């Protein structure tokens, strides 16, 4: 199925490489960003992570995962590399505009980013239209939420520039609601397929997943419903880990547990209206370890499938577990935990740099297998 429908590995690789570039860029915004939720330095920090890192990871993953879930190929992938480059150049300029308070440049860049990402959105919508299960429904509506979030972003920059007279606070809240919904729905769709597969569970129920999915539609009207929706998803992830066939603890399931605890901490700060702390915790103690956990699973598999599997029977090939440097993965996780603790006192950029070093050592090691078995 993967061979029949999935695009070439280089399509995924370009987005993943861009995503890791933004993780590196985040070093310079880590200490620079203000603690003021409404400051433009904090917005630069948020967009570097969410629009730069997370969006690239999600789009790259969707090019691969959607074809498997929907059991059909994208209708076409022409121009993907040019679109990826245009998107990320515009994103980089947008972050620079946030830092320098260049509102005119910000308006141009937001429009360009929206246009580029809409290429992927239209391609996705034309390729897949199916709601037969929660994975397909969540992915489809997640991409729809991305479109709505981008439209709100365009309205916001026109409001900031004084081009239109609309309520800034309303469109900001809508932008945040749709973008967080996009992340949640994509996580629901992907996790519904990946977590049971990696945990080797077979007889699980998706009631909590449906509860999380449906309740988020009402989250805009009450923050406690938003918290309930996120926590329902967290409980489902822990439930899947509880049912896993192989009970051994490893860097994948420990990172999932870490991300689940991080979601609870972020939700607590959100309830207390400390939105800056809630977002920092959401980034470093929830989304980042959740993505890292799956990078350790997905990236080795894609490299193994596209470059190594064809050599089975011709030479000795590595197992997927052999491709991950286990001690480095555990080191990265422990550094991440220390980084989260530091957020409550004084965020230490050195811990973040150490985390990146550990992550990049493993990622670079994955890519070396392409050359070894070329």
């Amino acid at each position: 199925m993967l061979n029949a429908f999935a695009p070439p590995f280089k399509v995924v690789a370009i987005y993943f490489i861009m995503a890791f570039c933004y993780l590196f860029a985040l070093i310079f915004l880590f200490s620079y960003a203000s603690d003021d939720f409404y400051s433009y330095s904090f917005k630069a920090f948020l967009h570097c992570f969410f629009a730069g890192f997370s969006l690239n990871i999600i789009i790259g993953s969707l090019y691969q995962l959607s074809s498997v879930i929907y059991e059909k190929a994208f209708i076409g992938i022409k121009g993907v590399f040019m679109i990826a480059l245009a998107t990320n150049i515009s994103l980089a300029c947008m972050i620079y505009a946030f830092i320098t308070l260049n509102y005119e440049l910000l308006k141009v860049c937001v429009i360009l980013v929206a246009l580029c990402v809409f290429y992927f959105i239209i391609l996705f919508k034309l390729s897949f239209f199916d709601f037969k299960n929660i994975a397909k429904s969540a992915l489809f509506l997640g991409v729809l939420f991305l479109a709505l979030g981008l439209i709100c972003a365009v309205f916001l920059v026109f409001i900031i520039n004084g081009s239109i007279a609309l309520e800034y606070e309303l469109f900001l809240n809508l932008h945040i609601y749709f973008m967080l919904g996009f992340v949640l729905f994509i996580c629901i769709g992907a996790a519904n397929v990946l977590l049971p597969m990696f945990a080797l569970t077979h007889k699980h129920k998706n009631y909590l997943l449906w509860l999380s999915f449906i309740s988020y539609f009402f989250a805009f009207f009450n923050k406690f419903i938003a918290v309930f929706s996120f926590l329902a998803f967290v409980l489902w992830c822990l439930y899947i880990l509880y049912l896993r066939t192989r009970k051994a603890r490893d860097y994948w399931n420990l990172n999932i547990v870490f991300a689940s605890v991080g979601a609870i901490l972020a939700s607590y700060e959100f309830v207390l209206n400390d939105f800056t702390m809630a977002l920092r915790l959401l980034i470093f103690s929830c989304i980042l370890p959740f993505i890292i956990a799956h990078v350790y699973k997905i990236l080795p598999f894609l490299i193994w499938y596209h470059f190594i599997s064809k050599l089975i029977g011709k030479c000795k090939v590595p197992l997927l577990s052999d491709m991950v440097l286990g001690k480095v993965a555990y080191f990265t996780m422990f550094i991440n935990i220390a980084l989260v603790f530091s957020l409550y006192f004084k965020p230490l950029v050195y811990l973040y740099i150490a985390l990146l070093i550990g992550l990049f050592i493993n990622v670079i090691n994955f890519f070396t297998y392409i050359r070894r078995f070329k």
Side-chain angles (χ1 to χ4, degrees):
M1 188 185 297
L2 185 63
N3 188 45
F5 301 124
F9 175 73
K10 59 185 179 181
V11 173
V12 181
I14 185 68
Y15 282 101
F16 273 53
I17 290 169
M18 292 292 183
F20 293 132
C21 289
Y22 283 101
L23 272 191
F24 178 77
L26 207 60
I27 293 173
F28 304 100
L29 293 171
F30 191 89
S31 301
Y32 172 76
S34 166
D35 286 333
D36 180 6
F37 176 73
Y38 292 98
S39 72
Y40 279 85
S41 63
F42 189 68
K43 289 173 183 176
F45 168 77
L46 289 180
H47 285 83
C48 187
F49 182 84
F50 284 105
F53 173 67
S54 299
L55 185 60
N56 272 297
I57 287 287
I58 289 172
I59 291 177
S61 300
L62 284 178
Y63 269 116
Q64 194 78 41
L65 187 61
S66 301
S67 300
V68 176
I69 292 176
Y70 289 95
E71 299 183 20
K72 60 185 292 190
F74 276 86
I75 59 172
I77 55 171
K78 289 183 179 179
V80 166
F81 290 96
M82 291 303 298
I83 290 295
L85 288 173
T87 303
N88 284 284
I89 291 171
S90 302
L91 268 174
C93 292
M94 183 185 78
I95 293 166
Y96 173 78
F98 272 123
I99 295 170
T100 59
L101 303 180
N102 189 330
Y103 301 129
E104 194 59 37
L105 177 62
L106 180 64
K107 181 173 73 173
V108 173
C109 290
V110 168
I111 293 171
L112 288 174
V113 169
L115 290 173
C116 291
V117 177
F118 259 95
Y119 173 86
F120 165 77
I121 292 170
I122 293 170
L123 191 63
F124 185 94
K125 296 299 183 185
L126 291 175
S127 301
F128 312 113
F129 192 86
D130 191 345
F131 304 92
K132 288 181 180 177
N133 56 47
I134 190 169
K136 295 177 181 180
S137 300
L139 291 185
F140 190 88
L141 289 173
V143 174
L144 176 62
F145 266 49
L146 172 61
L148 295 172
L150 288 171
I151 292 170
C152 290
V154 172
F155 273 103
L156 280 170
V157 291
F158 277 104
I159 294 170
I160 291 169
N161 278 268
S163 303
I164 53 176
L166 293 172
E167 189 179 341
Y168 173 81
E169 199 75 24
L170 172 62
F171 278 89
L172 177 62
N173 290 336
L174 284 170
H175 175 63
I176 294 171
Y177 167 74
F178 285 126
M179 286 307 191
L180 289 180
F182 158 65
V183 173
L184 176 63
F185 288 173
I186 297 302
C187 285
I188 288 173
N192 180 244
V193 175
L194 297 178
L195 258 67
M197 179 175 67
F198 294 148
L200 300 176
T201 60
H202 306 290
K203 296 181 179 180
H204 62 277
K205 304 295 182 183
N206 289 329
Y207 301 132
L208 284 170
L209 214 54
W210 277 108
L211 193 60
S212 172
F213 180 54
I214 294 170
S215 62
Y216 190 80
F217 290 103
F218 306 96
F220 180 75
F221 304 102
N222 190 296
K223 67 180 182 181
F224 293 103
I225 299 177
V227 170
F228 174 81
S229 177
F230 275 95
L231 293 183
F233 174 67
V234 168
L235 288 175
W236 181 85
C237 292
L238 295 174
Y239 160 70
I240 293 296
L241 292 184
Y242 175 76
L243 293 179
R244 71 188 189 276
T245 303
R246 184 172 171 267
K247 298 296 184 181
R249 298 179 181 88
D250 59 23
Y251 41 77
W252 173 73
N253 55 52
L254 288 176
N255 265 301
I256 298 297
V257 172
F258 176 28
S260 300
V261 173
I264 295 170
L265 294 175
S267 298
Y268 176 74
E269 297 295 339
F270 180 70
V271 169
L272 296 179
N273 291 326
D274 189 348
F275 300 127
T276 302
M277 188 61 177
L279 284 167
R280 287 186 185 273
L281 285 169
L282 184 66
I283 289 171
F284 293 113
S285 68
C286 180
I287 296 176
L288 187 58
F290 189 83
I291 290 177
I292 288 175
H294 289 91
V295 165
Y296 292 146
K297 290 285 189 179
I298 295 171
L299 205 49
F301 170 75
L302 292 178
I303 291 172
W304 188 92
Y305 179 83
H306 285 284
F307 300 97
I308 302 175
S309 62
K310 58 189 175 183
L311 299 175
I312 293 176
K314 298 178 183 178
C315 65
K316 184 179 179 181
V317 299
L319 299 173
L320 292 178
S321 57
D322 296 332
M323 297 173 67
V324 182
L325 301 174
K327 290 182 179 179
V328 177
Y330 286 119
F331 165 81
T332 304
M333 185 184 69
F334 289 130
I335 291 295
N336 198 347
I337 293 171
L339 174 62
V340 170
F341 275 109
S342 80
L343 296 178
Y344 286 96
F345 305 101
K346 183 180 179 181
L348 299 176
V349 68
Y350 305 108
L351 289 173
Y352 179 68
I353 293 172
L355 184 156
L356 287 189
I357 291 172
L359 176 61
F360 286 166
I361 286 173
N362 250 318
V363 170
I364 292 169
N365 180 62
F366 299 153
F367 280 98
T368 61
Y369 280 86
I370 297 176
R371 188 170 183 177
R372 292 186 211 177
F373 291 89
K374 196 170 182 180

